[in-house]
Amino acid sequence: MGYFKMNPDENGNFGEYGGSFIPPQLQTEMDKITDAYFSISKSHDFITELRSIRKHFQGRPTPVYYAKTLSEKYGGRIYLKREDLNHTGAHKLNHCMGEALLAKYLGKKKLIAETGAGQHGVALATAAAYFGLECEIHMGEVDIAKEHPNVVRMEILGAKVVPVTFGLKTLKEAVDSAFGAYLEDPVNSIYCIGSVVGPHPFPMMVRDFQMVVGVEAKEQYFHMTGEHPDNVVACVGGGSNAMGIFSAFIEDNEVDIYGVEPGGRSLNLGDHAATMTLGKPGMIHGFKCYNLQDEKGEPAPVYSIASGLDYPGVGPEHSMLKDLGRVNYVTADDRETLDSFFELSRLEGIIPALESAHAVAYACKLAQEKPRQSILVNLSGRGDKDIDFVVENFGKDYGIG
Ligand SMILES: *Cc1c(COP(=O)(O)O)cnc(C)c1O
């Protein structure tokens, strides 16, 4: 049997990971979403409409670009899948449009989600506006203060931003708050997760909606070169952009695959979010995966210079692929990431998201180790959202200010 027929199994398990460990009331709703997803997402109408949205609204296919100057500097041949050119500037819209289209088919009126840095909130608010659905985004008060531009974007797009004022007032509390709101009205609303995480069916569903990245990239790369890339590289937070591009190459055993986790300031607990590199299997947010935990077994504090990567868990499929040895999970630290952020900007004219700059940083290292090989990097998003932060804190190091 092929990889995708077996993973996940009918209970949403990826090997020993994934599954669904949630209160019975929520489980009933998840089962309904699972059944609906299997019937609706395979229908001709759904597939046709999603395809049309990808082309006319999102601007797909995004190009694959040969980074000539970067390749000349490091050796190897480095290619970038330009998800930064997808509408809203990152890959997240790929699954948000899919989730929102499913909501429309189910007759739902409202999309509910949490957001940390606001990227998922903005993508979902965009999808809601497109479909004329209500949108409610739960966000910790601490994050609201830090991520003002994204809060304003969501409001301009017509979403309601709900401040979460309990606990540490960040992402974890926002998840609890959003689940609470969803359970109050599961008939009219649907919960939309922002990565390949959470209880079944989300890790599968979000992966399936992101597969468009890999399908396109494989075909485009083949068209450009007449072969498959020797290596594929992507950054891993929850792991959705990575599963999007990895999925097309998982069954091609001659392709080496690398998932890049944030090494942060140091590899001491609290200074990074290298979940698979340094964590161990456990439970978080209703599913099983590699986790970073403190001595009490609670989710540990995590840190990354890229706010989209600082999650103490990771997708269950990545957890399985690590144990299988099919994907190599590695790290890039803050400094390597900043160097790549400026280097890609100055050598190629592309300002990458700090998340994506982790993947570029590792690809440059790999190019030096494997100078005769090709490397396809998923450039998950553009860096406009990061420029003020980078210049304020690190501009001097790079000749600015
Ligand atoms: C959110 C985000 C990520 C991390 O999410 P994944 O689910 O791991 O892909 C990576 N890159 C960008 C640009 C993001 O906005």
Side-chain angles (χ1 to χ4, degrees):
M1 245 199 298
Y3 175 88
F4 293 99
K5 278 244 179 313
M6 292 187 339
N7 295 295
D9 70 13
E10 67 274 23
N11 297 315
N13 299 302
F14 293 90
E16 64 170 291
Y17 302 102
S20 183
F21 303 87
I22 51 180
Q25 195 192 354
L26 202 51
Q27 188 61 54
T28 309
E29 297 310 319
M30 289 300 148
D31 291 345
K32 283 188 211 157
I33 295 177
T34 307
D35 291 345
Y37 173 71
F38 275 121
S39 54
I40 293 170
S41 72
K42 308 284 185 287
S43 76
H44 178 264
D45 286 357
F46 185 93
I47 292 169
T48 308
E49 187 168 356
L50 190 57
R51 234 180 237 157
S52 168
I53 289 168
R54 300 262 195 245
K55 181 171 175 195
H56 298 289
F57 181 64
Q58 290 185 232
R60 306 202 67 91
T62 59
V64 166
Y65 168 71
Y66 174 51
K68 181 163 177 283
T69 316
L70 198 67
S71 301
E72 278 166 2
K73 174 160 181 186
Y74 288 101
R77 298 183 304 285
I78 302 172
Y79 290 78
L80 308 174
K81 174 61 172 166
R82 299 287 310 273
E83 286 304 290
D84 59 315
L85 296 176
N86 195 26
H87 179 43
T88 72
H91 70 287
K92 284 197 174 70
L93 199 63
N94 298 333
H95 61 252
C96 285
M97 293 308 287
E99 287 174 321
L101 182 60
L102 184 67
K104 187 188 109 168
Y105 271 71
L106 290 171
K108 304 285 184 182
K109 296 187 176 59
K110 191 198 271 186
L111 309 179
I112 298 179
E114 79 294 333
T115 195
Q119 296 301 111
H120 175 52
V122 170
L124 196 65
T126 302
Y130 177 94
F131 288 106
L133 298 166
E134 287 173 55
C135 185
E136 187 177 301
I137 304 293
H138 294 244
M139 190 170 184
E141 247 179 1
V142 171
D143 292 327
I144 288 180
K146 272 205 303 215
E147 309 288 346
H148 185 68
N150 276 341
V151 175
V152 174
R153 264 183 211 117
M154 287 185 264
E155 289 174 344
I156 289 173
L157 289 161
K160 182 175 159 205
V161 179
V162 180
V164 179
T165 56
F166 57 89
L168 295 176
K169 305 172 191 173
T170 60
L171 183 61
K172 188 187 169 301
E173 292 78 21
V175 174
D176 296 338
S177 172
F179 263 116
Y182 170 57
L183 278 179
E184 277 171 28
D185 188 9
V187 176
N188 292 305
S189 61
I190 186 166
Y191 190 84
C192 295
I193 285 183
S195 188
V196 286
V197 298
H200 183 59
F202 285 102
M204 168 188 70
M205 213 163 80
V206 171
R207 174 197 71 190
D208 292 355
F209 289 139
Q210 284 295 342
M211 276 166 114
V212 65
V213 176
V215 169
E216 283 177 12
K218 188 174 192 173
E219 189 184 313
Q220 290 166 315
Y221 187 89
F222 189 79
H223 190 74
M224 291 168 86
T225 65
E227 50 192 39
H228 292 326
D230 298 311
N231 305 277
V232 173
V233 179
C235 67
V236 178
S240 65
N241 88 88
M243 277 324 304
I245 197 155
F246 292 175
S247 56
F249 300 99
I250 277 184
E251 294 180 290
D252 299 330
N253 284 325
E254 70 284 4
V255 179
D256 289 344
I257 306 180
Y258 296 86
V260 187
E261 298 194 295
R265 292 181 287 242
S266 84
L267 295 182
N268 298 326
L269 197 63
D271 277 354
H272 64 83
T275 313
M276 282 176 290
T277 309
L278 295 163
K280 56 178 200 241
M283 208 70 85
I284 188 171
H285 292 145
F287 70 106
K288 192 176 170 196
C289 65
Y290 273 85
N291 279 231
L292 289 166
Q293 298 168 343
D294 61 18
E295 311 88 72
K296 288 188 216 131
E298 296 288 318
V302 283
Y303 159 84
S304 165
I305 194 171
S307 51
L309 300 182
D310 62 358
Y311 181 57
V314 68
E317 191 166 7
H318 287 289
S319 303
M320 177 189 77
L321 290 168
K322 174 186 163 69
D323 287 1
L324 289 174
R326 178 64 190 98
V327 177
N328 306 290
Y329 292 94
V330 296
T331 60
D333 66 24
D334 282 2
R335 183 50 66 181
E336 294 167 324
T337 298
L338 283 164
D339 288 347
S340 285
F341 176 89
F342 279 97
E343 199 158 64
L344 195 68
S345 301
R346 290 173 180 179
L347 294 184
E348 300 288 353
I350 300 169
I351 304 177
L354 283 171
E355 291 83 1
S356 324
H358 283 78
V360 176
Y362 190 78
C364 293
K365 258 198 251 181
L366 200 58
Q368 289 169 291
E369 286 167 24
K370 300 177 169 184
R372 311 178 78 82
Q373 296 196 3
S374 58
I375 304 171
L376 175 63
V377 182
N378 196 15
L379 200 74
S380 54
R382 67 175 181 231
D384 302 50
K385 67 184 178 58
D386 299 315
I387 53 181
D388 289 342
F389 169 82
V390 167
V391 167
E392 243 165 65
N393 293 283
F394 306 101
K396 279 207 176 61
D397 303 349
Y398 297 89
I400 302 170

